[in-house]
Amino acid sequence: MAAIEKRSRNEWQELDKNHHLHPFTDHKQLHEQRSRIITRAEGVYIYDADGNKILDGMSGLWCVNAGYGRQEIIDAATVQMNELPYYNSFFQCSHPPAIELAAMLNELSQPQFNRVFFAGSGSESNDTIVRMVRTYWDLMGQPERHTIISRNNAYHGSTVAAASLGGMKSMHKQSGLPIPGIVHVDQPHWFASDRSLSRDEFGIAAARSIEEKIKEVGPESVAAFIGEPIQGAGGVVVPPDSYWPEVQRICDEYGILLISDEVITGFGRLGEWFGADYFSTRPDFMAFAKGVTSGYLPLGGVFVSDRVADVLIEKGGEFFHGYTYSGHPVSCAVAIANLKLIQRENLVARIKDDIGPYLQSKWHALADHPLVGDTRMVGLMGAFEIVKDKDSLECFDKERRAGTICRDHLLGNGVCMRAVGDTVICAPPFVLSHSEADELIETTWKALDLTQQALSV
Ligand SMILES: *Cc1c(COP(=O)(O)O)cnc(C)c1O
């Protein structure tokens, strides 16, 4: 039995156009065009209302790590819905799914983490961090320490505080952001630089820009630094190896809190449980969401290190912050089922030792295509850059929208990826098989050829 009444594609498109405002969308453009209606999914494939089968190279939106149609996740939701569909964790209440998940998460994370705070999304998680960081420094008797340093082109969510943490100029411009006390430094994006430094020199320089900002703001005013281990929405920006160790040194030296936004990189995407494990940092906070439930239900949260949690607990005083759906029991039950599945099927090790290296080698071979100027992939998170000239790495002018053209050819040939300017990005589900990886790569070659034809007329 379908949960939703079945209509024709046209009817759905019409209703969608008339009643539904989409996120991150040019409403005029979508009103003139039509939305793609996805009706079902299985494994690594999604199906649209026309019956097209599309390999989901983005895991939904970086979240469906376990793949679609996983019965044990579905069963966990059904059972929990019957047992206790909702209760809050305000007013000194709790319930087994939130308790069990909190304990399980801390088992999976670095030893400084023994506590989590639940939210409903990644944006809410980062809002929570802004408030908790500032509360921590207040309790420490250093209320002037309120400034958080982030990076240009970072993505930390869409709420007012999370968008302020983010470094997307277009988002800031639309609504008078950032809020006070949030400043930005350069991203560690070697390809986007003038490339006059080696990658490692550039990584050190990018990290040192944090130190310069600390000195500019005044070390006594700086509360924290936040970064995605690998910037996702910004275009899968893999920092040079030299970057994170230097960032850690700077945070340690100035005593500022390190926040790792693990909304994409958490729970295995890089072949380690967390991006902090992959890059050997020791954060004081980690934000999570997306992959914790493989997207089957919304859930987010924050890992809070003992350094901070101990102060909150010792000093006391109410932390005036929380969400109706903090620790939603059904979301937590789904997260537990999802994480157990990832453990039982050894999916994190599979990314490190098997499908990760398999896809990476084929991905890097795309660099032989005349249009591809750079390839990068860590675990199952990758990107390539479309360039006009392979030697100078000169890009196509922005009007040509080479990335979008390529993305459309990918989709037209049955593979979903995303374009960020002329960067094409990819993050397939952890369960991707070798033959599905072959299919993804073959379609990418074909789409690149078609893109080259389209750009040369
Ligand atoms: C998606 C994302 C967020 C925001 O998560 P939402 O659940 O969409 O609010 C935050 N940080 C990163 C790194 C993300 O990729």
Side-chain angles (χ1 to χ4, degrees):
M1 187 192 72
I4 303 292
E5 185 188 344
K6 190 147 173 60
R7 298 178 189 269
S8 72
R9 167 172 56 77
N10 278 337
E11 280 178 290
W12 270 322
Q13 285 179 324
E14 203 55 29
L15 286 172
D16 190 58
K17 181 174 165 155
N18 292 335
H19 302 292
H20 182 194
L21 293 174
H22 295 217
F24 280 95
T25 291
D26 178 335
H27 293 110
K28 179 165 188 274
Q29 191 186 38
L30 187 63
H31 206 78
E32 286 160 4
Q33 299 170 352
R34 296 252 146 160
S35 43
R36 176 180 290 275
I37 315 287
I38 306 300
T39 50
R40 65 190 183 90
E42 184 62 38
V44 301
Y45 293 98
I46 52 177
Y47 296 83
D48 68 17
D50 292 324
N52 290 312
K53 180 183 180 185
I54 302 160
L55 199 166
D56 185 4
M58 282 309 298
S59 306
L61 213 43
W62 320 89
C63 52
V64 188
N65 295 348
Y68 297 94
R70 304 307 304 257
Q71 197 57 45
E72 62 199 88
I73 303 180
I74 299 162
D75 290 345
T78 311
V79 170
Q80 187 57 45
M81 286 256 183
N82 277 305
E83 190 81 18
L84 181 72
Y86 175 76
Y87 202 70
N88 68 71
S89 43
F90 289 35
F91 319 127
Q92 310 195 342
C93 291
S94 200
H95 47 68
I99 298 166
E100 294 290 343
L101 178 60
M104 186 177 185
L105 289 173
N106 287 311
E107 206 47 46
L108 295 173
S109 58
Q110 294 179 1
Q112 73 274 26
F113 292 117
N114 288 295
R115 300 201 163 75
V116 294
F117 185 101
F118 288 116
S121 68
S123 302
E124 290 179 6
S125 306
N126 284 320
D127 273 51
T128 300
I129 290 175
V130 170
R131 303 208 54 207
M132 203 181 275
V133 159
R134 291 177 172 173
T135 302
Y136 166 79
W137 285 115
D138 288 348
L139 290 172
M140 292 293 286
Q142 298 184 56
E144 67 288 356
R145 276 215 196 231
H146 268 203
T147 301
I148 300 173
I149 301 176
S150 181
R151 303 179 296 182
N152 296 330
N153 203 32
Y155 188 75
H156 296 298
S158 263
T159 51
V160 168
S164 295
L165 287 175
M168 304 280 180
K169 292 274 178 307
S170 50
M171 291 177 75
H172 290 174
K173 218 173 109 195
Q174 238 166 18
S175 33
L177 302 179
I179 56 170
I182 294 175
V183 296
H184 297 81
V185 297
D186 275 340
Q187 56 178 341
H189 194 357
W190 179 83
F191 185 84
S193 74
D194 65 10
R195 296 182 286 270
S196 59
L197 300 176
S198 72
R199 286 180 197 255
D200 275 340
E201 286 166 350
F202 178 79
I204 297 284
R208 295 266 166 88
S209 73
I210 302 167
E211 190 162 29
E212 283 154 27
K213 188 59 91 177
I214 292 170
K215 288 179 180 156
E216 181 192 319
V217 172
E220 69 293 343
S221 303
V222 179
F225 169 77
I226 182 167
E228 304 151 79
I230 292 177
Q231 281 166 274
V236 184
V237 178
V238 181
D241 293 340
S242 58
Y243 181 75
W244 278 112
E246 183 65 6
V247 173
Q248 180 75 59
R249 177 197 68 76
I250 293 165
C251 288
D252 290 345
E253 192 168 322
Y254 292 88
I256 68 179
L257 298 163
L258 176 58
I259 306 160
S260 192
D261 183 339
E262 301 270 357
V263 171
I264 290 174
T265 50
F267 311 107
R269 170 79 39 207
L270 306 185
E272 299 285 346
W273 275 96
F274 295 95
D277 304 334
Y278 182 84
F279 287 110
S280 301
T281 56
R282 296 177 313 284
D284 300 293
F285 287 97
M286 295 197 295
F288 65 90
K290 296 191 170 116
V292 68
T293 56
S294 280
Y296 280 57
L297 279 179
L299 180 71
V302 179
F303 289 87
V304 183
S305 66
D306 290 344
R307 174 181 175 187
V308 174
D310 288 351
V311 171
L312 294 177
I313 292 164
E314 266 164 41
K315 307 259 181 183
E318 182 168 347
F319 180 49
F320 298 106
H321 178 85
Y323 306 105
T324 301
Y325 298 133
S326 283
H328 190 286
V330 186
S331 299
C332 289
V334 159
I336 293 167
N338 173 58
L339 295 173
K340 281 188 178 163
L341 182 158
I342 290 174
Q343 284 176 320
R344 198 192 59 242
E345 296 187 352
N346 277 318
L347 293 181
V348 184
R350 181 171 184 269
I351 291 179
K352 187 175 185 168
D353 302 325
D354 176 11
I355 189 64
Y358 186 81
L359 186 65
Q360 286 155 23
S361 71
K362 290 175 181 259
W363 188 262
H364 291 308
L366 293 169
D368 292 337
H369 193 280
L371 279 189
V372 176
D374 188 45
T375 57
R376 37 187 192 266
M377 184 173 275
V378 178
L380 288 182
M381 185 173 180
F384 60 81
E385 302 278 351
I386 298 181
V387 295
K388 193 171 168 187
D389 184 294
K390 278 177 86 89
D391 295 321
S392 68
L393 299 180
E394 189 197 335
C395 297
F396 284 98
D397 62 76
K398 289 295 158 220
E399 302 307 303
R400 308 288 294 271
R401 306 199 313 138
T404 312
I405 294 170
C406 185
R407 189 234 16 229
D408 289 345
H409 281 305
L410 278 160
L411 205 50
N413 288 280
V415 171
C416 178
M417 292 189 201
R418 243 172 92 185
V420 180
D422 288 346
T423 313
V424 177
I425 62 178
C426 172
F430 298 0
V431 292
L432 187 79
S433 70
H434 285 214
S435 65
E436 289 158 350
D438 295 346
E439 181 189 336
L440 184 147
I441 294 290
E442 277 160 29
T443 306
T444 307
W445 278 99
K446 188 168 167 193
L448 280 164
D449 287 344
L450 292 167
T451 305
Q452 191 181 12
Q453 281 169 27
L455 288 168
S456 57
V457 289

